Amino acid sequence: MLQEETEQKAKERETFLKERVPPLNLSGLSLQELQDLCKDLHHKIEVVDEEWYDVGLKVAKNEKEIGEMKLKVIEMQSKFKKPTLKRVKISAEAMLSILLGSKHKESIDFKANLKTVKKEEEKKEEVTDWRKNVEAMSGMEGRKKLFDASGN
């Protein structure tokens, strides 16, 4: 299959070249005619090179634009700005009446359904003058007292 494809491509190339490039007939031409033929061929080569260069630039420009557009799409998808919400002061009753419309007739006390939580007050240690107990707490006996006090 690969050989068939390569042969087919070679045939297509040959037919294309036969259509585009006529065979050169150099026999019987004078020096001046050969020079004119060479100038003509050089001119045709320059035209083709210019077209090839222009097409290459257009392709590069289009690829660059495509890349920029892809970046813009990615930025738009990733940087969706959330709108800033305005704080609205409205009571629970008014909100329910807006949401439920005419179905809301009786008032609901939301605070009545909440559980009460008792706060435990933290025990504060008395602030004492540290200089009074320096001598009593010095040495191993003082450390033993601190250890016993922290264990309780």
Side-chain angles (χ1 to χ4, degrees):
M1 293 176 75
L2 292 174
Q3 289 176 351
E4 291 176 7
E5 287 181 17
T6 54
E7 290 173 4
Q8 184 181 5
K9 286 182 182 179
K11 288 179 183 177
E12 288 176 2
R13 185 171 184 258
E14 288 176 15
T15 55
F16 181 77
L17 288 176
K18 285 180 183 177
E19 290 174 5
R20 292 287 182 142
V21 181
L24 288 178
N25 202 1
L26 300 177
S27 61
L29 294 177
S30 67
L31 181 63
Q32 184 64 34
E33 291 174 341
L34 286 174
Q35 286 178 348
D36 290 340
L37 181 65
C38 287
K39 287 180 183 179
D40 186 38
L41 290 175
H42 280 289
H43 179 70
K44 288 181 180 179
I45 289 172
E46 286 178 5
V47 170
V48 170
D49 281 344
E50 287 176 5
E51 289 176 3
W52 177 76
Y53 182 75
D54 291 342
V55 169
L57 285 179
K58 286 180 183 178
V59 168
K61 180 182 174 186
N62 288 341
E63 287 177 352
K64 184 179 177 183
E65 288 179 2
I66 289 170
E68 289 175 357
M69 287 182 182
K70 284 182 182 178
L71 287 175
K72 285 182 182 180
V73 167
I74 291 170
E75 284 180 15
M76 290 175 69
Q77 289 174 348
S78 65
K79 289 187 176 181
F80 176 72
K81 294 182 181 178
K82 295 181 181 176
T84 55
L85 300 177
K86 297 179 182 177
R87 182 172 292 277
V88 178
K89 294 183 179 181
I90 189 170
S91 66
E93 303 247 347
M95 190 180 302
L96 281 176
S97 64
I98 291 171
L99 292 174
L100 299 176
S102 62
K103 295 179 183 178
H104 176 68
K105 292 181 181 176
E106 56 189 67
S107 64
I108 300 172
D109 188 15
F110 290 109
K111 293 182 181 179
N113 295 334
L114 297 176
K115 295 180 182 178
T116 56
V117 178
K118 296 179 183 177
K119 293 184 180 180
E120 296 181 17
E121 295 181 19
E122 296 180 16
K123 297 180 182 177
K124 294 183 180 180
E125 295 182 18
E126 295 179 16
V127 179
T128 57
D129 190 11
W130 60 272
R131 291 172 278 189
K132 292 180 184 176
N133 294 331
V134 170
E135 291 181 11
M137 294 301 215
S138 64
M140 289 300 286
E141 291 295 322
R143 290 186 184 175
K144 185 178 177 188
K145 288 178 186 175
L146 282 175
F147 181 74
D148 290 339
S150 65
N152 291 338

